[in-house]
Amino acid sequence: MRINITKKIKLNAVQVLALGFFIVILIGGILLTLPISSKSGESTNFLDSLFTATTSVCVTGLITVDTGTHWSYFGQVIIMLLIEVGGLGFMSFATLIAILIGKKITLKERLLMQEALNTFNIQGMVRMVRYVLVFTFSVQILGALLYSTQFIPMFGLGKGIYYSIFHSISAFNNAGIDLFGHFQSLTHYSGNFVIILTTSALIIIGGLGFTVWAEVYNFKGFRKFSLHSKLVIMMTSILLVGGTILFFLFEYKNPSTLGPMDFKDKLLNAFFASVTPRTAGFNSIPTDGMTMAGRFLTILFMFIGGSPGSTAGGLKTVTFGILILTFISIIKGREDTEVFYKRIPRGVVRRSMALFIIAVGLIIMVAMILSITEVGATFEEIIYEVVSAFGTVGLTLGLTTKLTSIGKILIILTMYCGRVGPLTIALALTNKKNNNGIKYPEGKILVG
């Protein structure tokens, strides 16, 4: 009997996406190990290079070596390109190249783009990718122009333009990686309204999702929006307004954060503190100087993250919103989850619950292992770090640079799962669908 060992391995859409992100990360890690990538002209160890490539592609922002002082211009450009590819998804760039060379987009490639962009159907998929790319580059150019009004006077023409482009890409893609050096992020610019508001706008735009912005572009009234866009806008507004108020109250008298500022700067930085955990990683006030309530609220916001189909990570605003709406429906005794006079399909509710359980399980498991490997780290630092990695945020209480090799590998895997999506990872690993049509009789169970 002859065995065909050359049988092709067929990968589904989620497996291709998971593998694609892994390959991009690996290539980026190898490039960053090169001597030309560091300012010292020496090779960077592979684990730190892989960590930096992962945090760039997964648009997280956690860094083990300082971006502004360790990497050369070559290394920083590699990081910037990895952020762009990771934020938009490698399928968007593959489609761009195919369009430029005149290659026909196949049905399989359209299905991959649908999974990558998290859209409802494959109709007009190539047009959608064109829109995403044009929209992205347009917003980033506008952001860079606004930044340049501040950075050019500070750093000169060449460096000012370079800083403007890098930080516009980093902010729009919710990466939170900066070039200011010494892990200071935007703390030296907490009183600069142009820098803080430009960064906030880029983060919010990147975190809303391309589907939402396509509907905003063709605005015909809020009632004409899809249920998805309505829920995204509602949840984002609640989190931004509620977060600003709570951060303002929690940090108002804190001498390490908002305390020394005047009223308008307090309001500005309270607003920024509610924007950046979802899921950008820039900070204008010291994260380790926040009150316990402020740090706890930040952890919650990091866990929720941005919106589906965007450059952000985390559980996602829509998923969190569906869970809350389901809870409200149960309390009211309603059989279905309802919002805006629409019924949310039970399959979507089940998927949201599955995402929540996988996310919480992943965070608990990684935190438990880190509590063993990271001797001397507090429980708060570990939870903060793990949630930041899962939510692809990049905020830290100072643990990232102190991580052991095992700790770095665990955070790398957590960032990867957070960016690709925990449910996507689970589906990619199992690749099983079991729907045999059999329905078993109901059993009685006591709950609560």
Side-chain angles (χ1 to χ4, degrees), residues 227 230 337-344:
L227 181 60
K230 287 180 180 178
T337 302
E338 302 167 351
V339 63
F340 294 115
Y341 305 102
K342 296 283 186 178
R343 176 173 52 85
I344 298 175

Side-chain angles (χ1 to χ4, degrees), residues 283-304:
N283 61 287
S284 61
I285 55 177
T287 52
D288 56 355
M290 281 185 168
T291 61
M292 184 66 74
R295 292 198 293 268
F296 183 78
L297 183 61
T298 302
I299 291 173
L300 177 62
F301 274 31
M302 290 193 296
F303 179 72
I304 295 172

